[in-house]
Amino acid sequence: MGCFLTNSSLGRKLVMSISGCFLVLFILFHMSMNVVAIFSAEAYNMICGFLGASWYALAGTAVLALGVFVHFAYAFWLTWQNRKARGNVRYAVTVTEKGVSWASKNMLLLGVIVILGLALHLSHFWAKMQLVELLGHHENNLGLEPTDGAALIKYTFSQWYNVLLYLVWFAALWLHLTHGVWSMLQTAGWANDTWYPRLKCISGIVATLIFGGFAVVVVWFYLQTVCPCLAACGA
Amino acid sequence: MNFTLKIWRQKDAQSKGAFKEYKVENVSSDTSFLEMLDILNNDLVHKGEEPVAFDHDCREGICGMCSLHIDGHAHGPSQAVTTCQIYMRQFKDGATITIEPWRSAAFPVIKDLVVNRSAYDQILQAGGFVSVRTNSVPDGNAIPIPKADADESMDAAACVGCGACAATCKNGSAMLFVAARVSSLAKLPQGRVEGARRAKAMVAKMDELGFGNCTNTGACQAECPKQISIAHIARLNREFLAAKLKD
């Protein structure tokens, strides 16, 4: 049983489905946590303190990193196999088939944009928070405490180019999830003709909720920079 | 009607192919696509040139023998029909039409537009059958089958095994074909008995033959001449995963 997850096409797809589901659940949690920063810097920093360099936070980070690694490693593996299966000679004329989304045909490209955004995000936040704590330092290179996530958010999204890069990242994630969410259910066998419209609707809602939740935080903090009067309304 | 045809010409499986342009003139709008190729081949034979090789048989959309990737579509631009069921009136007069063979590593080109689709036969031989003894034909009402199950089974059984699904899929996946065969039998009592063995054997053969992994784009069902739904792929996933988890 163990090996069908590696030596069968349906098993490999199941690994993609389960690891994808795990990442969606994590992203939903992360988005909910971020939204707190709009309402209360103290509450947000309490969560940051809880998710500091404690053993459970480190264990969670390790499991999360494993999930990301498995999802991406399998994505590249499956894509390599799929390109081989397509053959060496490609069609001279190609079209987009009726009812087929652009995202569904470009999941790897969108995934690569997502992982590049993730690398940028880790350098902006993880490297200035949990990593700083792990190294035993009491402040990061910006002079902020590693648990002062709210201040770090303010600093990061006061720069327009960071806002732009993050919005592009979230847009790629949105597209990825519009196909990924219903596709993971189809791969697990939970779909039929009655449920396709519902599952695709649920995918759109989940993807939009995640995009909206992340984007509103980034835009809110940037607007506070360009219009300081807004700062008084927020955290 | 007049057309310019860009047709893939390839001497044999080992040779390198290329597109070659041909003109066909004064073709009736009611000529079928395959008849138009017959007219072209007639001209080529009269000129002493090698005719274009292409697959065809029943010419009424039930045998699954015709193929062809026409202007980017498996079986041409119309929905729910095979190549033999399209007519020249569906193209613009004076149009350039690009005709290619199925492109998939598991369907190697034999000559021109003819590909070897025996990979599908091998998948069927691996498990696409009922081996339990069912004796003679029973009375129609002796084995009650819910109408919905019978309909789903018949919808899946409409698959003619033409290869359009794997030829259209960007991953070269044969999942729609395998799913249709597994589904058509799994929904009936006689086929249900061997459901687990069938799903495992057919998926293993599909993987062994080098077909790709399904990414649920849905392009296969969009181009399928028999409009087989990807819901059958979901059923194949259920059948296969349940069988593996029981091992």
Side-chain angles (χ1 to χ4, degrees):
Chain A
M1 180 201 144
C3 60
F4 92 92
L5 298 174
T6 55
N7 66 14
S8 155
S9 59
L10 272 64
R12 289 190 288 270
K13 285 291 321 246
L14 184 68
V15 172
M16 283 298 283
S17 168
I18 292 171
S19 58
C21 181
F22 168 68
L23 294 177
V24 167
L25 292 175
F26 167 74
I27 287 169
L28 277 169
F29 161 75
H30 196 328
M31 182 271 293
S32 310
M33 173 186 146
N34 284 13
V35 171
V36 172
I38 292 180
F39 301 103
S40 166
E42 290 75 26
Y44 182 74
N45 283 347
M46 269 178 67
I47 302 171
C48 291
F50 179 70
L51 297 174
S54 57
W55 69 267
Y56 47 85
L58 288 173
T61 306
V63 172
L64 189 62
L66 181 69
V68 172
F69 173 77
V70 167
H71 198 68
F72 275 86
Y74 266 69
F76 280 104
W77 186 17
L78 290 167
T79 303
W80 171 72
Q81 288 183 322
N82 292 343
R83 287 190 66 81
K84 207 166 64 165
R86 203 73 200 83
N88 295 325
V89 185
R90 301 301 162 117
Y91 287 117
V93 181
T94 53
V95 294
T96 299
E97 297 82 4
K98 196 181 165 192
V100 175
S101 71
W102 180 86
S104 72
K105 288 191 160 189
N106 293 279
M107 289 296 274
L108 185 75
L109 170 68
L110 293 167
V112 168
I113 296 172
V114 168
I115 203 135
L116 288 174
L118 179 65
L120 183 74
H121 177 61
L122 290 177
S123 74
H124 281 159
F125 289 90
W126 181 77
K128 290 180 173 60
M129 297 176 78
Q130 195 179 56
L131 182 63
V132 171
E133 277 195 80
L134 285 174
L135 295 173
H137 300 157
H138 298 293
E139 63 178 40
N140 58 34
N141 59 354
L142 298 171
L144 299 170
E145 284 182 38
T147 52
D148 193 359
L152 195 54
I153 289 179
K154 267 186 186 173
Y155 169 77
T156 307
F157 300 121
S158 64
Q159 291 149 331
W160 68 267
Y161 49 86
N162 280 339
V163 174
L164 188 67
L165 286 170
Y166 273 68
L167 288 178
V168 169
W169 180 34
F170 299 152
L173 184 62
W174 180 83
L175 280 166
H176 196 78
L177 293 177
T178 54
H179 177 69
V181 172
W182 81 265
S183 182
M184 77 187 179
L185 298 169
Q186 161 87 355
T187 299
W190 190 50
N192 57 39
D193 283 327
T194 308
W195 270 86
Y196 284 127
R198 297 170 191 170
L199 294 180
K200 288 183 182 180
C201 179
I202 291 168
S203 290
I205 291 169
V206 171
T208 306
L209 192 68
I210 288 171
F211 173 85
F214 279 128
V216 75
V217 175
V218 170
V219 172
W220 175 254
F221 280 92
Y222 178 68
L223 289 178
Q224 282 192 0
T225 309
V226 293
C227 183
C229 60
L230 281 173
C233 313
Chain B
M1 298 179 83
N2 301 319
F3 298 100
T4 301
L5 307 176
K6 270 181 74 179
I7 301 179
W8 183 261
R9 300 302 309 259
Q10 187 171 331
K11 191 180 172 191
D12 52 44
Q14 286 72 42
S15 304
K16 202 177 168 191
F19 282 103
K20 194 168 178 187
E21 278 198 8
Y22 298 95
K23 300 273 184 197
V24 284
E25 291 168 342
N26 300 320
V27 174
S28 159
S29 59
D30 293 331
T31 306
S32 79
F33 197 85
L34 295 186
E35 284 167 349
M36 183 273 296
L37 289 179
D38 290 337
I39 292 168
L40 170 70
N41 277 346
N42 202 35
D43 288 347
L44 291 176
V45 169
H46 280 294
K47 286 180 193 167
E49 291 180 37
E50 183 78 11
V52 178
F54 63 94
D55 268 330
H56 59 101
D57 193 7
C58 74
R59 297 206 178 195
E60 55 186 9
I62 58 170
C63 75
M65 196 62 204
C66 58
S67 54
L68 305 185
H69 204 257
I70 303 164
D71 282 347
H73 290 281
H75 293 295
S78 299
Q79 297 273 303
V81 290
T82 52
T83 296
C84 62
Q85 295 172 294
I86 58 174
Y87 293 87
M88 299 319 295
R89 57 179 173 267
Q90 292 165 267
F91 297 87
K92 279 186 183 164
D93 188 20
T96 297
I97 304 170
T98 305
I99 310 169
E100 303 174 71
W102 285 168
R103 298 290 189 203
S104 173
F107 294 156
V109 173
I110 298 170
K111 185 178 182 179
D112 296 338
L113 302 171
V114 179
V115 298
N116 182 353
R117 284 174 280 181
S118 63
Y120 271 15
D121 299 328
Q122 292 178 58
I123 294 172
L124 280 181
Q125 285 161 6
F129 48 81
V130 173
S131 63
V132 291
R133 294 187 186 280
T134 54
N135 297 320
S136 57
V137 180
D139 179 85
N141 298 317
I143 308 172
I145 301 169
K147 172 87 167 60
D149 288 355
D151 284 350
E152 275 195 76
S153 175
M154 285 304 291
D155 286 347
C159 171
V160 288
C162 62
C165 45
T168 295
C169 177
K170 76 179 186 70
N171 310 318
S173 170
M175 279 288 278
L176 193 65
F177 166 74
V178 176
R181 300 304 183 164
V182 164
S183 209
S184 68
L185 294 173
K187 294 299 285 184
L188 298 178
Q190 295 94 333
R192 183 65 264 156
V193 182
E194 296 171 292
R197 181 198 58 77
R198 181 180 304 113
K200 286 189 290 183
M202 291 181 77
V203 168
K205 182 55 81 175
M206 174 183 78
D207 291 344
E208 180 196 319
L209 292 168
F211 287 101
N213 306 280
C214 173
T215 53
N216 305 319
T217 66
C220 52
Q221 75 174 0
E223 294 290 298
C224 174
K226 299 299 167 187
Q227 297 194 300
I228 308 288
S229 164
I230 58 168
H232 296 296
I233 294 181
R235 179 172 295 108
L236 171 61
N237 290 334
R238 287 197 292 277
E239 292 275 330
F240 177 84
L241 296 174
K244 280 290 180 187
L245 291 170
K246 277 181 196 164
D247 277 353

